[in-house]
Short mmCIF file of all heavy atoms in Angstrom, two decimals:
data_model
loop_
_atom_site.label_atom_id
_atom_site.label_comp_id
_atom_site.label_asym_id
_atom_site.label_seq_id
_atom_site.Cartn_x
_atom_site.Cartn_y
_atom_site.Cartn_z
N CYS A 51 -1.78 1.58 -2.60
CA CYS A 51 -0.93 1.48 -3.76
C CYS A 51 -0.29 2.83 -4.02
O CYS A 51 -0.89 3.85 -3.88
CB CYS A 51 -1.77 1.05 -4.97
SG CYS A 51 -0.82 0.92 -6.49
N ARG A 53 0.83 3.69 -7.04
CA ARG A 53 0.59 4.07 -8.44
C ARG A 53 -0.83 4.45 -8.74
O ARG A 53 -1.07 5.47 -9.38
CB ARG A 53 0.99 2.90 -9.35
CG ARG A 53 2.47 2.62 -9.33
CD ARG A 53 2.79 1.32 -10.07
NE ARG A 53 2.48 1.50 -11.49
CZ ARG A 53 3.26 1.05 -12.46
NH1 ARG A 53 4.37 0.47 -12.18
NH2 ARG A 53 2.88 1.20 -13.70
N HIS A 54 -1.76 3.64 -8.33
CA HIS A 54 -3.17 3.88 -8.65
C HIS A 54 -4.04 3.57 -7.41
O HIS A 54 -3.90 2.52 -6.81
CB HIS A 54 -3.66 3.00 -9.79
CG HIS A 54 -2.95 3.24 -11.09
ND1 HIS A 54 -3.18 4.34 -11.85
CD2 HIS A 54 -2.07 2.49 -11.78
CE1 HIS A 54 -2.45 4.28 -12.93
NE2 HIS A 54 -1.75 3.16 -12.91
N HIS A 55 -4.91 4.50 -7.10
CA HIS A 55 -5.90 4.25 -6.02
C HIS A 55 -7.17 3.76 -6.70
O HIS A 55 -7.80 4.53 -7.43
CB HIS A 55 -6.17 5.51 -5.24
CG HIS A 55 -5.03 5.94 -4.42
ND1 HIS A 55 -5.09 6.96 -3.50
CD2 HIS A 55 -3.76 5.50 -4.34
CE1 HIS A 55 -3.89 7.11 -2.88
NE2 HIS A 55 -3.05 6.23 -3.42
N VAL A 56 -7.48 2.49 -6.51
CA VAL A 56 -8.60 1.86 -7.20
C VAL A 56 -9.64 1.39 -6.18
O VAL A 56 -9.28 0.81 -5.15
CB VAL A 56 -8.13 0.66 -8.04
CG1 VAL A 56 -9.31 0.04 -8.81
CG2 VAL A 56 -7.05 1.08 -9.02
N ASN A 72 -7.46 -1.61 -3.73
CA ASN A 72 -6.20 -2.30 -3.95
C ASN A 72 -5.22 -2.08 -2.81
O ASN A 72 -5.05 -0.95 -2.36
CB ASN A 72 -5.56 -1.98 -5.33
CG ASN A 72 -5.36 -0.46 -5.55
OD1 ASN A 72 -6.07 0.36 -5.01
ND2 ASN A 72 -4.41 -0.16 -6.37
N ARG A 88 6.89 -2.51 -8.98
CA ARG A 88 6.55 -2.26 -10.37
C ARG A 88 6.76 -0.78 -10.72
O ARG A 88 6.30 -0.35 -11.81
CB ARG A 88 5.09 -2.61 -10.64
CG ARG A 88 4.83 -4.10 -10.59
CD ARG A 88 3.38 -4.48 -10.94
NE ARG A 88 3.12 -4.14 -12.32
CZ ARG A 88 2.09 -3.41 -12.70
NH1 ARG A 88 1.21 -2.91 -11.86
NH2 ARG A 88 1.92 -3.15 -14.00
N VAL A 91 7.90 -0.28 -14.21
CA VAL A 91 7.23 -1.13 -15.20
C VAL A 91 6.05 -0.34 -15.76
O VAL A 91 5.30 0.27 -15.01
CB VAL A 91 6.75 -2.43 -14.57
CG1 VAL A 91 5.96 -3.29 -15.55
CG2 VAL A 91 7.92 -3.23 -13.97
N GLU A 92 5.89 -0.39 -17.08
CA GLU A 92 4.74 0.30 -17.75
C GLU A 92 3.44 -0.26 -17.21
O GLU A 92 3.27 -1.50 -17.03
CB GLU A 92 4.85 0.12 -19.25
CG GLU A 92 3.85 0.88 -20.05
CD GLU A 92 3.97 0.65 -21.54
OE1 GLU A 92 4.98 0.14 -21.99
OE2 GLU A 92 3.03 1.03 -22.23
N SER A 93 2.47 0.60 -17.01
CA SER A 93 1.14 0.21 -16.54
C SER A 93 0.56 -0.81 -17.48
O SER A 93 0.64 -0.72 -18.71
CB SER A 93 0.24 1.45 -16.45
OG SER A 93 -0.96 1.10 -15.88
N GLY A 94 -0.05 -1.88 -16.91
CA GLY A 94 -0.66 -2.94 -17.70
C GLY A 94 0.17 -4.15 -17.90
O GLY A 94 -0.23 -5.16 -18.48
N TYR A 95 1.41 -4.12 -17.41
CA TYR A 95 2.36 -5.26 -17.61
C TYR A 95 2.91 -5.72 -16.24
O TYR A 95 2.96 -5.00 -15.29
CB TYR A 95 3.52 -4.82 -18.49
CG TYR A 95 3.03 -4.41 -19.87
CD1 TYR A 95 2.74 -3.08 -20.17
CD2 TYR A 95 2.86 -5.35 -20.86
CE1 TYR A 95 2.28 -2.71 -21.45
CE2 TYR A 95 2.43 -5.01 -22.12
CZ TYR A 95 2.14 -3.69 -22.41
OH TYR A 95 1.66 -3.33 -23.65
N ARG A 96 3.31 -6.99 -16.28
CA ARG A 96 4.01 -7.64 -15.15
C ARG A 96 3.19 -7.60 -13.85
O ARG A 96 3.73 -7.29 -12.78
CB ARG A 96 5.40 -7.04 -14.92
CG ARG A 96 6.35 -7.11 -16.07
CD ARG A 96 6.77 -8.51 -16.49
NE ARG A 96 7.17 -9.38 -15.41
CZ ARG A 96 8.43 -9.59 -14.99
NH1 ARG A 96 9.39 -8.96 -15.55
NH2 ARG A 96 8.66 -10.41 -14.00
N HIS A 97 1.93 -7.93 -13.95
CA HIS A 97 1.03 -7.94 -12.79
C HIS A 97 1.56 -8.80 -11.66
O HIS A 97 1.30 -8.49 -10.50
CB HIS A 97 -0.37 -8.46 -13.20
CG HIS A 97 -1.03 -7.65 -14.22
ND1 HIS A 97 -1.60 -6.45 -13.98
CD2 HIS A 97 -1.25 -7.93 -15.54
CE1 HIS A 97 -2.15 -5.97 -15.08
NE2 HIS A 97 -1.95 -6.86 -16.05
N GLU A 98 2.26 -9.86 -12.00
CA GLU A 98 2.77 -10.80 -10.97
C GLU A 98 3.76 -10.15 -10.02
O GLU A 98 3.97 -10.67 -8.93
CB GLU A 98 3.35 -12.03 -11.63
CG GLU A 98 4.74 -11.85 -12.25
CD GLU A 98 4.74 -11.25 -13.66
OE1 GLU A 98 3.67 -10.85 -14.16
OE2 GLU A 98 5.82 -11.11 -14.22
N CYS A 100 3.39 -7.20 -8.62
CA CYS A 100 2.64 -6.34 -7.70
C CYS A 100 2.33 -7.11 -6.44
O CYS A 100 1.81 -8.25 -6.48
CB CYS A 100 1.37 -5.83 -8.38
SG CYS A 100 0.44 -4.72 -7.35
N HIS A 104 -5.92 -6.68 -6.25
CA HIS A 104 -6.69 -5.63 -6.94
C HIS A 104 -8.04 -5.41 -6.29
O HIS A 104 -8.56 -6.26 -5.62
CB HIS A 104 -6.88 -6.02 -8.40
CG HIS A 104 -5.63 -5.95 -9.22
ND1 HIS A 104 -5.60 -6.08 -10.59
CD2 HIS A 104 -4.33 -5.70 -8.84
CE1 HIS A 104 -4.34 -5.93 -11.04
NE2 HIS A 104 -3.58 -5.74 -9.99
N GLU A 106 -11.05 -5.11 -7.53
CA GLU A 106 -12.07 -6.02 -8.00
C GLU A 106 -11.95 -7.38 -7.28
O GLU A 106 -12.96 -7.96 -6.83
CB GLU A 106 -11.98 -6.27 -9.49
CG GLU A 106 -11.99 -4.99 -10.34
CD GLU A 106 -10.57 -4.47 -10.67
OE1 GLU A 106 -9.71 -4.48 -9.78
OE2 GLU A 106 -10.39 -3.99 -11.79
N GLN A 107 -10.76 -7.84 -7.18
CA GLN A 107 -10.49 -9.13 -6.49
C GLN A 107 -10.92 -9.05 -5.03
O GLN A 107 -11.59 -9.95 -4.50
CB GLN A 107 -9.00 -9.50 -6.61
CG GLN A 107 -8.54 -9.76 -8.00
CD GLN A 107 -7.04 -9.85 -8.13
OE1 GLN A 107 -6.29 -9.62 -7.18
NE2 GLN A 107 -6.57 -10.18 -9.32
N CYS A 127 -16.20 0.06 -10.78
CA CYS A 127 -14.78 0.13 -10.48
C CYS A 127 -14.22 1.44 -11.03
O CYS A 127 -14.55 1.84 -12.16
CB CYS A 127 -14.04 -1.06 -11.09
SG CYS A 127 -12.41 -1.27 -10.47
N THR A 128 -13.36 2.06 -10.26
CA THR A 128 -12.79 3.33 -10.71
C THR A 128 -11.89 3.19 -11.92
O THR A 128 -11.68 4.17 -12.65
CB THR A 128 -11.97 4.01 -9.56
OG1 THR A 128 -10.96 3.11 -9.15
CG2 THR A 128 -12.87 4.35 -8.41
N HIS A 129 -11.39 2.00 -12.13
CA HIS A 129 -10.50 1.74 -13.28
C HIS A 129 -10.96 0.45 -14.03
O HIS A 129 -11.52 -0.44 -13.41
CB HIS A 129 -9.07 1.48 -12.79
CG HIS A 129 -8.41 2.75 -12.24
ND1 HIS A 129 -8.84 3.31 -11.05
CD2 HIS A 129 -7.42 3.50 -12.67
CE1 HIS A 129 -8.11 4.39 -10.82
NE2 HIS A 129 -7.25 4.52 -11.78
N GLN A 130 -10.67 0.43 -15.30
CA GLN A 130 -10.98 -0.73 -16.13
C GLN A 130 -10.24 -1.92 -15.53
O GLN A 130 -9.09 -1.85 -15.24
CB GLN A 130 -10.54 -0.51 -17.57
CG GLN A 130 -10.69 -1.71 -18.46
CD GLN A 130 -9.84 -1.58 -19.72
OE1 GLN A 130 -9.81 -0.56 -20.35
NE2 GLN A 130 -9.13 -2.65 -20.03
N PRO A 131 -10.93 -3.06 -15.44
CA PRO A 131 -10.25 -4.27 -14.94
C PRO A 131 -9.13 -4.76 -15.88
O PRO A 131 -9.22 -4.59 -17.10
CB PRO A 131 -11.38 -5.32 -14.91
CG PRO A 131 -12.62 -4.52 -14.84
CD PRO A 131 -12.36 -3.27 -15.64
N CYS A 132 -8.10 -5.35 -15.30
CA CYS A 132 -7.04 -5.97 -16.05
C CYS A 132 -7.47 -7.34 -16.49
O CYS A 132 -8.56 -7.84 -16.11
CB CYS A 132 -5.76 -6.07 -15.20
SG CYS A 132 -5.87 -7.25 -13.87
N ILE A 133 -6.67 -8.06 -17.24
CA ILE A 133 -7.02 -9.39 -17.75
C ILE A 133 -7.20 -10.38 -16.62
O ILE A 133 -8.10 -11.23 -16.65
CB ILE A 133 -5.96 -9.89 -18.79
CG1 ILE A 133 -6.44 -11.19 -19.43
CG2 ILE A 133 -4.60 -10.10 -18.13
CD1 ILE A 133 -7.64 -11.06 -20.29
N LEU A 134 -6.36 -10.30 -15.54
CA LEU A 134 -6.53 -11.18 -14.41
C LEU A 134 -7.86 -11.01 -13.75
O LEU A 134 -8.57 -11.98 -13.44
CB LEU A 134 -5.37 -10.97 -13.41
CG LEU A 134 -3.95 -11.16 -13.92
CD1 LEU A 134 -2.95 -10.74 -12.85
CD2 LEU A 134 -3.74 -12.59 -14.37
N CYS A 135 -8.25 -9.79 -13.54
CA CYS A 135 -9.55 -9.48 -12.91
C CYS A 135 -10.70 -9.83 -13.82
O CYS A 135 -11.74 -10.32 -13.37
CB CYS A 135 -9.60 -8.01 -12.48
SG CYS A 135 -8.55 -7.63 -11.09
N ALA A 136 -10.53 -9.62 -15.13
CA ALA A 136 -11.59 -9.99 -16.07
C ALA A 136 -11.91 -11.47 -15.96
O ALA A 136 -13.12 -11.84 -15.96
CB ALA A 136 -11.14 -9.63 -17.50
N TYR A 149 -16.89 0.97 -15.40
CA TYR A 149 -15.56 1.45 -14.95
C TYR A 149 -15.39 2.90 -15.34
O TYR A 149 -16.04 3.42 -16.24
CB TYR A 149 -14.45 0.57 -15.46
CG TYR A 149 -14.19 0.67 -16.95
CD1 TYR A 149 -13.26 1.58 -17.44
CD2 TYR A 149 -14.84 -0.13 -17.84
CE1 TYR A 149 -13.05 1.68 -18.81
CE2 TYR A 149 -14.62 -0.05 -19.21
CZ TYR A 149 -13.71 0.84 -19.68
OH TYR A 149 -13.49 0.95 -21.03
N GLY A 150 -14.43 3.56 -14.66
CA GLY A 150 -14.22 4.98 -14.87
C GLY A 150 -13.01 5.32 -15.74
O GLY A 150 -13.11 6.03 -16.71
N ASN A 151 -11.85 4.78 -15.40
CA ASN A 151 -10.60 5.14 -16.09
C ASN A 151 -10.13 4.00 -16.97
O ASN A 151 -10.11 2.87 -16.52
CB ASN A 151 -9.53 5.49 -15.05
CG ASN A 151 -9.91 6.72 -14.25
OD1 ASN A 151 -10.03 7.80 -14.78
ND2 ASN A 151 -10.14 6.52 -12.93
N PRO A 152 -9.70 4.27 -18.19
CA PRO A 152 -9.24 3.23 -19.09
C PRO A 152 -7.92 2.64 -18.58
O PRO A 152 -7.19 3.28 -17.78
CB PRO A 152 -9.04 3.91 -20.41
CG PRO A 152 -8.89 5.37 -20.09
CD PRO A 152 -9.66 5.61 -18.82
N TYR A 153 -7.59 1.44 -19.00
CA TYR A 153 -6.38 0.74 -18.63
C TYR A 153 -5.82 0.17 -19.90
O TYR A 153 -6.57 -0.31 -20.78
CB TYR A 153 -6.76 -0.36 -17.63
CG TYR A 153 -5.61 -1.07 -16.95
CD1 TYR A 153 -4.84 -0.36 -16.03
CD2 TYR A 153 -5.32 -2.39 -17.23
CE1 TYR A 153 -3.75 -1.01 -15.38
CE2 TYR A 153 -4.26 -3.03 -16.59
CZ TYR A 153 -3.48 -2.34 -15.67
OH TYR A 153 -2.46 -2.96 -15.05
N PRO A 154 -4.51 0.10 -20.08
CA PRO A 154 -3.93 -0.36 -21.32
C PRO A 154 -4.00 -1.89 -21.49
O PRO A 154 -2.97 -2.56 -21.58
CB PRO A 154 -2.49 0.13 -21.25
CG PRO A 154 -2.18 0.19 -19.79
CD PRO A 154 -3.49 0.57 -19.13
N ASP A 155 -5.19 -2.44 -21.49
CA ASP A 155 -5.38 -3.90 -21.57
C ASP A 155 -6.66 -4.20 -22.36
O ASP A 155 -7.68 -4.51 -21.76
CB ASP A 155 -5.45 -4.48 -20.18
CG ASP A 155 -5.31 -6.02 -20.17
OD1 ASP A 155 -5.43 -6.61 -21.24
OD2 ASP A 155 -5.13 -6.59 -19.12
N ASP A 156 -6.61 -4.07 -23.69
CA ASP A 156 -7.77 -4.34 -24.51
C ASP A 156 -8.20 -5.80 -24.43
O ASP A 156 -9.39 -6.09 -24.65
CB ASP A 156 -7.47 -3.94 -25.97
CG ASP A 156 -7.33 -2.46 -26.15
OD1 ASP A 156 -7.86 -1.69 -25.31
OD2 ASP A 156 -6.71 -2.04 -27.14
N GLU A 157 -7.27 -6.67 -24.16
CA GLU A 157 -7.62 -8.09 -24.05
C GLU A 157 -8.65 -8.38 -22.96
O GLU A 157 -9.54 -9.20 -23.10
CB GLU A 157 -6.33 -8.95 -23.81
CG GLU A 157 -6.54 -10.41 -23.94
CD GLU A 157 -6.80 -10.85 -25.39
OE1 GLU A 157 -6.58 -10.09 -26.34
OE2 GLU A 157 -7.22 -12.02 -25.56
N ALA A 158 -8.54 -7.61 -21.85
CA ALA A 158 -9.50 -7.74 -20.78
C ALA A 158 -10.92 -7.43 -21.24
O ALA A 158 -11.88 -8.16 -20.95
CB ALA A 158 -9.10 -6.91 -19.59
N LEU A 159 -11.06 -6.37 -22.00
CA LEU A 159 -12.35 -5.97 -22.50
C LEU A 159 -12.90 -7.02 -23.48
O LEU A 159 -14.08 -7.33 -23.48
CB LEU A 159 -12.28 -4.58 -23.19
CG LEU A 159 -11.98 -3.42 -22.28
CD1 LEU A 159 -11.87 -2.15 -23.05
CD2 LEU A 159 -13.00 -3.30 -21.17
N ARG A 160 -12.02 -7.56 -24.33
CA ARG A 160 -12.44 -8.59 -25.27
C ARG A 160 -12.94 -9.86 -24.56
O ARG A 160 -13.89 -10.46 -24.93
CB ARG A 160 -11.29 -8.94 -26.25
CG ARG A 160 -11.08 -7.88 -27.33
CD ARG A 160 -10.19 -8.36 -28.46
NE ARG A 160 -8.81 -8.48 -28.03
CZ ARG A 160 -7.91 -7.47 -28.02
NH1 ARG A 160 -8.29 -6.28 -28.35
NH2 ARG A 160 -6.66 -7.70 -27.67
N LEU A 162 -14.19 -10.00 -21.45
CA LEU A 162 -15.49 -9.70 -20.81
C LEU A 162 -16.63 -9.72 -21.85
O LEU A 162 -17.66 -10.35 -21.62
CB LEU A 162 -15.44 -8.35 -20.11
CG LEU A 162 -14.55 -8.28 -18.88
CD1 LEU A 162 -14.34 -6.84 -18.42
CD2 LEU A 162 -15.12 -9.10 -17.74
N MET A 171 -18.19 2.25 -19.91
CA MET A 171 -17.21 3.23 -19.33
C MET A 171 -18.01 4.46 -18.90
O MET A 171 -18.82 4.97 -19.66
CB MET A 171 -16.14 3.60 -20.33
CG MET A 171 -15.13 4.56 -19.74
SD MET A 171 -13.85 4.92 -20.94
CE MET A 171 -12.90 6.13 -20.03
N GLU A 180 -3.55 10.03 -6.97
CA GLU A 180 -3.37 9.35 -8.21
C GLU A 180 -2.06 9.79 -8.87
O GLU A 180 -1.73 10.98 -8.88
CB GLU A 180 -4.55 9.68 -9.14
CG GLU A 180 -4.77 8.76 -10.30
CD GLU A 180 -5.13 7.36 -9.92
OE1 GLU A 180 -5.70 7.11 -8.85
OE2 GLU A 180 -4.78 6.45 -10.70
N VAL A 181 -1.29 8.82 -9.34
CA VAL A 181 -0.03 9.12 -10.02
C VAL A 181 0.02 8.60 -11.42
O VAL A 181 -0.77 7.80 -11.82
CB VAL A 181 1.18 8.56 -9.22
CG1 VAL A 181 1.34 9.28 -7.91
CG2 VAL A 181 1.09 7.08 -9.02
#
Side-chain angles (χ1 to χ4, degrees):
C51 180
R53 293 172 65 137
H54 297 288
H55 291 189
V56 182
N72 54 333
R88 292 184 64 232
V91 176
E92 184 179 348
S93 187
Y95 297 93
R96 301 295 314 265
H97 299 286
E98 74 279 4
C100 182
H104 289 188
E106 305 93 320
Q107 295 168 355
C127 195
T128 58
H129 293 67
Q130 175 199 313
C132 70
I133 187 67
L134 301 173
C135 289
Y149 69 92
N151 297 296
Y153 191 68
D155 192 347
D156 291 338
E157 190 69 14
L159 294 177
R160 284 192 289 276
L162 291 168
M171 182 178 175
E180 198 65 26
V181 291

